[in-house]
Amino acid sequence: MPFVLPLLGLAVFAQGTSEFMLSGLLPDIARDLHVSVSAAGSLTSAFAVGMVIGAPLLAMLSMRWSRRRALLAFLVAFLLVHVLGAVTTHYGVLLATRIVAALANAGFLAVALATATAMVAPDAKGRATSVLLGGTTMACVAGVPAGALLGELWGWRSAFWAVALMSLPAVPGILRSVPADRAGQAADAGPGPDAGPGTRGELRALRSPRLVVTLLLGALVNGATFCTFTYLAPLVTDVTGIGAGWVPAVLALFGLGSFVGVGLGGRLADTRPVPLLVAGGAALLLGWTVLALTAGNPVAALVLVFVQGALSFGVGSTLVSQVLYAATGAPTLGGGFATAALNVGAAIGPWCGGAALTAGLGFRSPLWVSALLTALALVLAGGAHGARRRTVRHGAPSAQDAPA
C-alpha cells in the first residue's frame, strides 16, 4: 500500500472525530456560547446535512481539479474552519464552520476514496477502502472518547484544536505522493461508452442498476448501525443495568469491533465479496434480533455489542468497495455517492430509532428497528439478485449490470 494512504486515513480519522465528538461537548458549548443544549445539538445536525448534500456536489466540483489540488483544498478548508471554530465566541459563526467542515469532509472523503483505489492494483480496492474507513472506525474507538476527555480537561475548544492538528500530517503526504495532473482522475475509468473524463461521462456511468442497489444497501446497513449506536448508552444503562460510568467503555467496545470488522472486511472484500455480504448480512440480522432479546444480560450484551460492531462495519466497508468496483466509469462521483449513502443511513437510522422511543416502545426498540432495516437490505439484495438471474436467463446482461 502507498505510504500516503495511512496519512489519508489519519485525516479521515480527524474528520470522523469532528463529526462524532460533539455528543460529549454539547453542554460545555451551550454554556460557553449562551445557547440552549438543543441549539448546540443542531451543530451535529448541520454537519450531517452538509455531509449528505456535499458529497456528490463537491465530488462533481473536484472533477475540474487534479486530485492533489482537490484533496489539499478540502483538507486545508477543514483545518482552517476548525481553527476558526476554536476561537469564535459567536454561535452563528460556529454553526457556519460546522456546515463548511461537513462540506470539506464530504469532498475530501469522496476524492480520497477515488485516489486510494486508483493508487493500488485493480483487484485491491477493498483493502484500500478499508485503510480509509479504518480512520472512521478509530474515531469511534479513540477519537470521540479523547475529544470528550480534552473537553473535560481544557474545554471544548481544545478538541477543535486537536482535530486541526491531526489534519496537518496529511498535507505534506498529499503534496509528495498524489499526482498533480488531471489525467490520473480517469486512469481507472476503464473502457466503454460510459468511461472517460468529465462530469457527464461519470453521471452516465452512475445509471448502473447494480450501483444503485449497492448504494441503497449501504444506506440501509449504515442506518441499522447508527440506529443502535446512537441509543446504545440508554440501552446499556436502563436495560442491561451497566453503570453510567461504563458507557464510554461500551461505546469503545463497539468501536473496537468496528475496527476489527473493517480490517477483516478489507481482506475479503476483493476476493470473496458475495459470500461475505450474504453471510455477514444474515449474521447481522440474527445479531440485532438476539441482542434485542438478551439485552438484559450484561455478558451477552457486551459480547454482541462487539460482534455487531464488527459485522456492521465489515459489511458496510465491503459495500463501499463494491460501489467503487461498480462505478469504474465514475471513480470520483462513485466515491461521492457512497459517502452520501452512508450519511443518509447515519441520519435516517437514528431518526427511526428516536421515533420508536418517542412512541413509547422502550430502549430495546432501536435494536428492533436495526433488525428491520437489515431485513429490508436482505430483501432488496435478494430481489436484485433474482432480477439479474432473470435478465441472464432471457438475454446477456450489459457489462455494467453484470454481477461481480
Side-chain angles (χ1 to χ4, degrees):
M1 288 287 170
F3 178 71
V4 72
L5 294 193
L7 293 178
L8 294 178
L10 178 62
V12 173
F13 167 71
Q15 292 165 2
T17 298
S18 175
E19 181 176 5
F20 303 131
M21 71 181 181
L22 289 194
S23 58
L25 303 175
L26 292 183
D28 196 12
I29 292 174
R31 186 168 50 252
D32 186 30
L33 298 183
H34 308 292
V35 296
S36 66
V37 173
S38 61
S42 65
L43 296 171
T44 300
S45 302
F47 199 101
V49 171
M51 285 290 289
V52 172
I53 296 174
L57 293 181
L58 271 296
M60 206 174 298
L61 173 65
S62 72
M63 293 176 64
R64 299 176 178 272
W65 305 336
S66 70
R67 283 185 177 146
R68 178 198 288 179
R69 180 183 177 187
L71 288 172
L72 285 175
F74 293 138
L75 184 58
V76 171
F78 180 85
L79 191 159
L80 291 178
V81 295
H82 277 76
V83 172
L84 178 58
V87 300
T88 186
T89 58
H90 299 283
Y91 170 78
V93 174
L94 183 59
L95 180 63
T97 67
R98 297 307 290 167
I99 296 172
V100 175
L103 294 173
N105 183 1
F108 182 89
L109 184 56
V111 179
L113 285 169
T115 302
T117 53
M119 296 180 73
V120 299
D123 61 349
K125 295 181 187 290
R127 280 176 289 167
T129 300
S130 70
V131 172
L132 296 188
L133 296 185
T136 301
T137 62
M138 282 305 295
C140 295
V141 176
V144 174
L149 180 61
L150 284 174
E152 195 173 316
L153 293 176
W154 296 302
W156 65 270
R157 298 176 190 276
S158 65
F160 278 69
W161 283 113
V163 167
L165 289 174
M166 284 190 296
S167 304
L168 278 175
V171 173
I174 293 169
L175 285 170
R176 179 178 178 181
S177 302
V178 177
D181 57 297
R182 290 189 61 195
Q185 290 196 229
D188 55 345
D194 292 332
T199 303
R200 292 182 180 178
E202 293 213 6
L203 286 173
R204 286 196 299 270
L206 292 176
R207 297 174 183 174
S208 162
R210 172 189 166 194
L211 176 60
V212 173
V213 169
T214 308
L215 289 169
L216 289 173
L217 292 176
L220 287 170
V221 169
N222 213 43
T225 301
F226 281 92
C227 177
T228 290
F229 182 72
T230 300
Y231 302 104
L232 196 55
L235 174 75
V236 299
T237 55
D238 289 42
V239 178
T240 309
I242 296 175
W246 289 95
V247 168
V250 176
L251 295 175
L253 184 64
F254 186 93
L256 182 61
S258 69
F259 183 73
V260 172
V262 166
L264 293 177
R267 294 176 181 273
L268 297 174
D270 295 314
T271 56
R272 301 178 62 82
V274 174
L276 174 59
L277 292 174
V278 172
L284 259 181
L285 176 58
L286 178 63
W288 292 131
T289 303
V290 173
L291 181 54
L293 295 172
T294 63
N297 184 309
V299 174
L302 291 176
V303 170
L304 285 168
V305 162
F306 175 84
V307 170
Q308 291 303 98
L311 288 171
S312 295
F313 279 82
V315 172
S317 64
T318 301
L319 286 169
V320 171
S321 70
Q322 290 307 296
V323 168
L324 298 174
Y325 274 116
T328 53
T332 303
L333 292 186
F337 277 87
T339 302
L342 293 179
N343 282 279
V344 166
I348 291 178
W351 181 86
C352 292
L357 291 174
T358 301
L361 300 179
F363 287 119
R364 295 177 193 252
S365 59
L367 293 168
W368 291 113
V369 173
S370 292
L372 176 60
L373 292 173
T374 306
L376 288 175
L378 290 173
V379 170
L380 175 61
H385 178 67
R388 282 201 300 270
R389 291 189 64 178
R390 287 192 295 273
T391 302
V392 172
R393 191 179 302 120
H394 293 92
S398 66
Q400 65 177 196
D401 294 336

